[in-house]
């Protein structure tokens, strides 16, 4: 797989990698053609697994290389760019969460505090709010892949092509339940299978766009690399803490979701360390 990407421009590498992550979103959404309702335990375990993958990817693929880059290429202590970038990523998602109208697909809509969020939600259709939610959360994932491939192109130590590919694989794996989280509720409300699938896969389209932006940012302005890597990590951790973990545990499957998170973390850690 590494040989396939070798010799390509970083923009093409990131674009192809995020086509895979988009495809995994579409694959999850495609389950709507086989069923109208998914077993809640299965879905909660998938969410927990996705959360573990995102946490592991945030550290092993983003924060750890950023710390090494900052220590080698900056006059500041390595933790300063990492901390600034990480917090800015979380603040960016928090702000977007307050502004962009959306409805968390993994949280039960009748539970207190799980109503539609953002500005102008009153006149928005449920399908639109669900797509906005997953699209919002896919931005940092696409950005993370783009920044990772951009770091490889810059020849930065601590980041290899195999590690960037491992990150894309991990994000693709955790995108599977995201597509499912949009399509299944819409199908359950009576929407046709084709429309439910369309809306489910639509949210993944933002990842190739975000990846290209990430590559451009770090290849044009190399000093941004540590900040950009940790920015993507902070945004991903915000998504995990704000939605993925609560959504996986609110239906009483806490132990199952927690163990699935541990498995997801382990799988992503092995992928990154073994390939990177």
């Amino acid at each position: 797989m590494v040989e396939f990407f070798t010799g390509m421009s970083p923009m093409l590498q990131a674009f192809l990698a995020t086509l895979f992550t988009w495809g995994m979103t579409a694959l999850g959404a495609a389950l709507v053609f086989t069923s109208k309702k998914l077993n809640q335990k299965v879905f909660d375990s998938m969410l927990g697994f996705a959360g573990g993958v995102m946490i592991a990817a945030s550290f092993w693929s983003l924060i750890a290389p950023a710390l090494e880059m900052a220590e080698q290429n900056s006059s500041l202590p390595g933790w300063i760019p990492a901390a600034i970038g990480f917090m800015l990523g979380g603040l960016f998602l928090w702000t977007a969460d307050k502004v962009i109208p959306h409805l968390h697909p993994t949280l039960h809509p009748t539970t207190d505090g799980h109503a539609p969020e953002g500005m102008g939600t009153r006149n928005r259709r449920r399908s639109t709010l669900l797509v906005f939610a997953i699209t919002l959360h896919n931005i940092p994932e696409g950005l993370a892949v783009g920044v990772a491939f951009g770091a490889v192109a810059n020849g930065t130590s601590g980041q290899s092509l195999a590690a960037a590919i491992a990150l894309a694989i991990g994000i693709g794996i955790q995108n599977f339940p995201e597509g499912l989280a949009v399509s299944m509720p819409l199908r359950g409300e009576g929407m046709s299978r084709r429309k439910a699938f369309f809306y489910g896969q639509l949210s993944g389209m933002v990842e190739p766009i975000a990846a290209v932006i990430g590559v451009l940012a770090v290849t044009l302005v190399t000093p941004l690399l540590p900040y950009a890597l940790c920015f993507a990590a902070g945004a991903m951790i915000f998504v995990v803490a704000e939605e993925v973990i609560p959504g996986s545990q609110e239906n009483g499957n806490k132990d199952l979701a927690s163990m699935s998170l541990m498995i997801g973390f382990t799988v992503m850690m092995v992928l990154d360390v073994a390939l990177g």
Side-chain angles (χ1 to χ4, degrees):
M1 185 177 295
V2 175
E3 289 75 13
F4 174 77
F5 284 91
T6 302
M8 295 181 183
S9 69
M11 191 173 298
L12 180 58
Q13 290 173 340
F15 182 75
L16 291 176
T18 46
L19 283 183
F20 164 74
T21 63
W22 177 14
M24 290 298 290
T25 305
L27 187 61
L31 289 185
V32 75
F33 290 109
T34 63
S35 176
K36 191 174 182 178
K37 186 177 180 181
L38 183 69
N39 182 281
Q40 190 63 51
K41 286 187 176 181
V42 173
F43 185 60
D44 289 344
S45 65
M46 291 171 64
L47 278 181
F49 183 89
V53 168
M54 292 176 75
I55 293 172
S58 295
F59 177 75
W60 295 102
S61 299
L62 300 171
I63 296 176
L67 285 169
E68 186 174 345
M69 294 174 200
E71 289 172 356
Q72 293 180 358
N73 303 315
S74 174
S75 58
L76 297 173
W79 58 267
I80 292 181
I84 292 174
F86 185 82
M87 290 305 301
L88 285 177
L91 287 171
F92 169 77
L93 256 291
W94 178 81
T95 302
D97 205 54
K98 300 299 181 185
V99 174
I100 298 176
H102 64 283
L103 176 66
H104 293 294
T106 61
L107 300 178
H108 198 281
T110 60
T111 306
D112 292 341
H114 297 169
E117 299 177 2
M119 302 172 63
T121 59
R122 181 174 298 178
N123 298 320
R124 302 281 185 176
R125 297 175 62 182
R126 175 175 170 84
S127 58
T128 303
L129 295 174
L130 286 170
V131 172
F132 278 179
I134 299 298
T135 300
L136 171 65
H137 296 164
N138 281 354
I139 290 174
E141 296 167 8
L143 183 64
V145 174
V147 171
F149 279 101
V152 176
N154 282 345
T156 310
S157 63
Q159 189 70 306
S160 67
L161 181 57
I165 294 172
L167 174 63
I169 293 173
I171 288 177
I173 292 171
Q174 67 88 31
N175 273 1
F176 184 84
E178 288 187 354
L180 189 62
V182 176
S183 63
M184 280 297 185
L186 295 179
R187 175 58 183 159
E189 292 178 0
M191 184 177 286
S192 71
R193 285 186 170 88
R194 288 186 178 181
K195 282 189 175 181
F197 167 74
F198 174 77
Y199 283 117
Q201 63 81 35
L202 186 64
S203 58
M205 291 178 64
V206 71
E207 291 196 5
I209 299 171
V212 170
I213 293 173
V215 171
L216 286 174
V218 300
T219 52
L220 295 177
V221 189
T222 303
L224 284 178
L225 260 174
Y227 297 92
L229 285 167
C230 290
F231 180 94
M236 288 174 64
I237 291 297
F238 181 89
V239 171
V240 174
E242 201 247 359
E243 178 180 346
V244 177
I245 292 177
S248 70
Q249 298 193 354
E250 72 167 0
N251 295 291
N253 299 313
K254 293 184 178 181
D255 290 343
L256 176 63
S258 297
M259 288 307 302
S260 297
L261 185 146
M262 298 288 290
I263 294 170
F265 184 97
T266 303
V267 169
M268 186 63 219
M269 178 179 65
V270 170
L271 269 176
D272 191 272
V273 175
L275 295 180

